[in-house]
Amino acid sequence: MPEHQSATGPIGVFDSGYGGLTILRSLASRLPQYDFLYLGDNARAPYGNRSFELVYRFTLQAVRELFSRGCRMVILACNTASAKALRSIQQHDLPLIDPSRRVLGVIRPTVEVIPSLTATGHVGVMGTQGTVASHSYRMELNKVSGEIRVTEKSCPMWVPLVENGEAEGPGADYFVEKYCGELIESDPDIDTVILACTHYPLLLNKIRKAMPEHVKILPQGDLVGESLADYLRRHPEMEIRCRKQTAAEDSAARGSIEYLTTENPEKFNPLASMFMGTAVVATGITLEG
Ligand code: DGL
């Protein structure tokens, strides 16, 4: 490893495309003093219906890229990548690449809050085909509470609607109503629904309207932000390796956010700016390896 172990770097945030920006936004708002480096593999999105092997390979390429740009920690802000690649990367690749770095996912922080939210014990999970087929949420929920009944629903049209800038359009209504209706029909006692895909918060208003009023809808951003803040508190050795502005000199110091995309940045920037609520200027890169 050419870099010294004590070197600091931005926190890497990876997603197949735009969805991870919903997580990045929460992370940057919860931890404003840190630097973040976002990577969207937009050229190869969506990952949702790709094979385990491909999602793992693409995700590992992205993690290596973020490491090579100085990140000491990478958040897989993508449920599909967290479900299909996180464990292999943590167990097999990280020890060989650099055991001092960390790769964390979004599934565990999301399921931890569920037992305190559901009154009926019936929970819905809406995600990509890949996330649903992996049953990662069912397994993780069973670990936090054996009492919870989980119904998983894949929503294959939602990511393409978001990736193509149609989330607000009338065309999205049909598929939002269809998948929400099918989920509730398969278990009418569901009172809590996890949006287990980082693209879905862009459809939140429509999802709220399509669900029965008493059902709690759970986007992940703030949960992941809170969980990362807690992680950094509990791991001071990692906290000092994540670069941040020195609050001692300037209490209002804010970290920077940089963006990488495998797509043409001119295509990425307008939609990414909409996700972030601020102007985004990305650098285009190619992932290999
Ligand atoms: N946003 C990603 C997720 O959370 C995946 C979207 C996709 O590439 O299919 O699962």
Side-chain angles (χ1 to χ4, degrees):
M1 237 337 100
E3 278 178 281
H4 190 267
Q5 294 236 328
S6 65
T8 66
I11 298 174
V13 180
F14 168 67
D15 183 54
S16 59
Y18 297 102
L21 294 168
T22 62
I23 302 284
L24 175 65
R25 205 171 162 167
S26 294
L27 293 178
S29 135
R30 179 65 185 80
L31 298 161
Q33 68 276 38
Y34 289 86
D35 290 343
F36 292 94
L37 178 58
Y38 185 83
L39 168 54
D41 191 8
N42 300 74
R44 301 187 294 193
Y47 279 12
N49 38 16
R50 289 191 186 276
S51 68
F52 181 96
E53 187 45 48
L54 267 188
V55 172
Y56 165 63
R57 213 173 77 211
F58 292 173
T59 305
L60 184 57
Q61 288 169 0
V63 167
R64 284 185 183 277
E65 179 69 31
L66 288 165
F67 281 172
S68 79
R69 289 171 185 265
C71 299
R72 320 301 301 184
M73 173 193 278
V74 172
I75 310 295
L76 300 186
C78 174
N79 290 272
T80 311
S82 297
K84 292 188 165 189
L86 179 64
R87 184 162 308 173
S88 302
I89 291 176
Q90 283 176 333
Q91 291 179 355
H92 305 300
D93 301 295
L94 211 46
L96 300 174
I97 300 171
D98 180 354
S100 77
R101 303 203 195 204
R102 290 290 170 271
V103 180
L104 305 176
V106 288
I107 297 178
R108 189 76 203 187
T110 308
V111 302
E112 272 167 357
V113 299
I114 294 297
S116 65
L117 291 179
T118 174
T120 62
H122 291 237
V123 172
V125 175
M126 306 186 91
T128 64
Q129 282 167 323
T131 299
V132 166
S134 74
H135 299 302
S136 299
Y137 273 88
R138 183 189 297 278
M139 289 185 293
E140 289 297 326
L141 280 164
N142 284 341
K143 280 187 214 157
V144 295
S145 164
E147 310 283 289
I148 291 175
R149 177 168 161 193
V150 183
T151 304
E152 295 160 296
K153 171 82 194 143
S154 69
C155 310
M157 289 305 292
W158 285 5
V159 170
L161 283 165
V162 172
E163 288 282 318
N164 289 290
E166 293 291 340
E168 302 282 337
D173 292 343
Y174 173 80
F175 283 106
V176 169
E177 281 161 25
K178 176 177 161 64
Y179 298 147
C180 292
E182 287 170 0
L183 176 70
I184 296 300
E185 202 181 299
S186 49
D187 181 359
D189 291 330
I190 286 172
D191 70 350
T192 308
V193 170
I194 300 174
L195 297 188
C197 173
T198 53
H199 283 67
Y200 297 175
L202 270 282
L203 295 163
L204 189 57
N205 290 338
K206 289 185 193 289
I207 295 170
R208 282 218 168 97
K209 274 193 212 135
M211 285 288 185
E213 226 171 280
H214 69 279
V215 173
K216 294 187 193 99
I217 317 283
L218 213 62
Q220 301 175 291
D222 292 349
L223 301 175
V224 177
E226 208 39 62
S227 167
L228 180 59
D230 181 54
Y231 181 92
L232 291 171
R233 254 195 316 271
R234 288 184 292 108
H235 295 86
E237 78 291 351
M238 182 50 66
E239 204 267 349
I240 54 167
R241 287 195 212 119
C242 292
R243 194 169 59 218
K244 63 178 180 185
Q245 310 304 311
T246 37
E249 286 161 26
D250 176 3
S251 60
R254 293 186 79 83
S256 66
I257 307 181
E258 287 176 32
Y259 301 86
L260 305 170
T261 175
T262 55
E263 238 313 344
N264 179 346
E266 276 164 32
K267 190 166 170 217
F268 176 82
N269 293 340
L271 198 51
S273 305
M274 197 183 93
F275 269 75
M276 292 302 290
T278 180
V280 167
V281 181
T283 303
I285 61 159
T286 306
L287 286 179
E288 288 153 14

